[in-house]
Amino acid sequence: MNASLKPLVLIVEDEADLVTLLSYNLEKEGFRVLTAGDGEEALLLADEQAPHLVLLDWMLPLMSGLEVCRQMRRNPKTREIPIIMLTARGEEADKVRGLNSGADDYISKPFSPTELVARIRAVLRRAVPSLAEELLRYGDISMDLAAHRVRRNSRDIHLGPTEFRLLRHFMQHPGRVFSREQLLDIVWGHDVYVEPRTVDVHIRRLRKALNEETELDMIRTVRSAGYALDMKSA
């Protein structure tokens, strides 16, 4: 996928460790990320960069998340941008205050990255329907990220979750060669130890699922370098 087509998320959070965690997980899921450490910077970036969605922490230096939300809603250039509030406050009254200030959703810390990504996708589907399609195409392979469906020509391809993430990454970067180590970081994550040869096992599974006898094997093995999705691989 062209980088400009990936949804842009502005993370407004002053805790550096959480910013790193959120950025890593969102980029792994195919989002582009901008970050702001306080409310004033957030308002400036939202106005200049027009992100598709803002993740907004409630407790910020200089200006509260609630005030950032209110000011975004008053600005014609930012009033339509979806906002998800992040906060340690879990009381019902606080949720109501956040939603009344203009937030589209609300998620309490601690939360799982998986839940957060699901919430982001749900809000984007409602607010920006064109992003919800999330359809990747390369050659005769099509991948619907929202429906979690892969097709080649007219047949459905059934993939396990790891093979799905591998193919998504290849489809987003066609022709580019990735080493086993790069694929491990991107697909499995930095904090999981997996033998590099495990990548080979999942590449074989992906090839088996994608390719029938008469079809081109688009996954190219580059000796001593890694793998690529390439229509010239034959």
Side-chain angles (χ1 to χ4, degrees):
M1 180 187 286
N2 187 305
S4 64
L5 299 179
K6 296 180 182 180
L8 177 62
V9 176
L10 171 59
I11 300 171
V12 188
E13 171 62 65
D14 61 326
E15 294 180 30
D17 289 347
L18 185 54
V19 170
T20 300
L21 177 69
L22 291 171
S23 299
Y24 169 72
N25 280 283
L26 290 179
E27 287 170 350
K28 188 171 76 168
E29 291 297 325
F31 296 93
R32 291 177 295 143
V33 171
L34 278 173
T35 64
D38 60 60
E40 291 182 359
E41 185 184 8
L43 291 171
L44 185 65
L45 284 174
D47 188 80
E48 290 180 349
Q49 301 294 325
H52 294 100
L53 182 138
V54 176
L55 287 180
L56 179 59
D57 188 38
W58 182 302
M59 300 294 289
L60 292 169
L62 307 179
M63 182 188 304
S64 73
L66 282 180
E67 184 57 29
V68 173
C69 192
R70 292 188 189 105
Q71 290 201 29
M72 283 184 62
R73 292 299 178 241
R74 287 198 292 263
N75 181 346
K77 291 177 68 176
T78 60
R79 67 164 53 123
E80 300 297 328
I81 298 173
I83 298 170
I84 298 179
M85 297 286 291
L86 304 176
T87 180
R89 307 165 74 105
E91 296 297 323
E92 192 69 26
D94 291 328
K95 294 183 182 182
V96 172
R97 285 180 67 199
L99 295 171
N100 283 345
S101 70
D104 296 85
D105 201 357
Y106 184 111
I107 187 165
S108 299
K109 302 174 186 177
F111 50 80
S112 73
T114 303
E115 179 190 5
L116 180 62
V117 168
R119 295 278 196 97
I120 289 171
R121 293 197 192 284
V123 170
L124 284 174
R125 278 196 295 273
R126 295 194 297 268
V128 194
S130 61
L131 288 174
E133 298 171 7
E134 297 190 71
L135 190 65
L136 304 179
R137 293 186 185 277
Y138 186 70
D140 54 8
I141 301 172
S142 64
M143 196 171 195
D144 186 334
L145 301 184
H148 217 76
R149 175 178 294 169
V150 179
R151 293 178 67 82
R152 183 164 191 183
N153 293 317
S154 58
R155 64 187 175 92
D156 287 322
I157 307 292
H158 301 288
L159 300 177
T162 301
E163 288 75 37
F164 188 90
R165 290 195 299 271
L166 271 172
L167 181 61
R168 178 182 64 197
H169 185 69
F170 284 134
M171 295 276 283
Q172 289 172 337
H173 305 89
R176 181 174 163 187
V177 178
F178 292 92
S179 69
R180 292 181 180 88
E181 290 73 19
Q182 287 174 316
L183 291 171
L184 283 173
D185 278 349
I186 293 160
V187 175
W188 279 264
H190 296 281
D191 54 347
V192 178
Y193 178 74
V194 182
E195 288 285 347
R197 292 291 170 183
T198 302
V199 175
D200 302 343
V201 173
H202 289 279
I203 290 288
R204 282 198 298 271
R205 290 179 185 170
L206 181 56
R207 277 185 165 135
K208 185 175 180 180
L210 284 178
N211 303 323
E212 291 195 332
E213 287 185 13
T214 58
E215 291 173 328
L216 173 69
D217 179 8
M218 288 199 207
I219 299 177
R220 178 163 58 102
T221 302
V222 182
R223 190 175 180 86
S224 302
Y227 298 100
L229 185 69
D230 192 342
M231 283 192 286
K232 303 172 187 172
S233 60

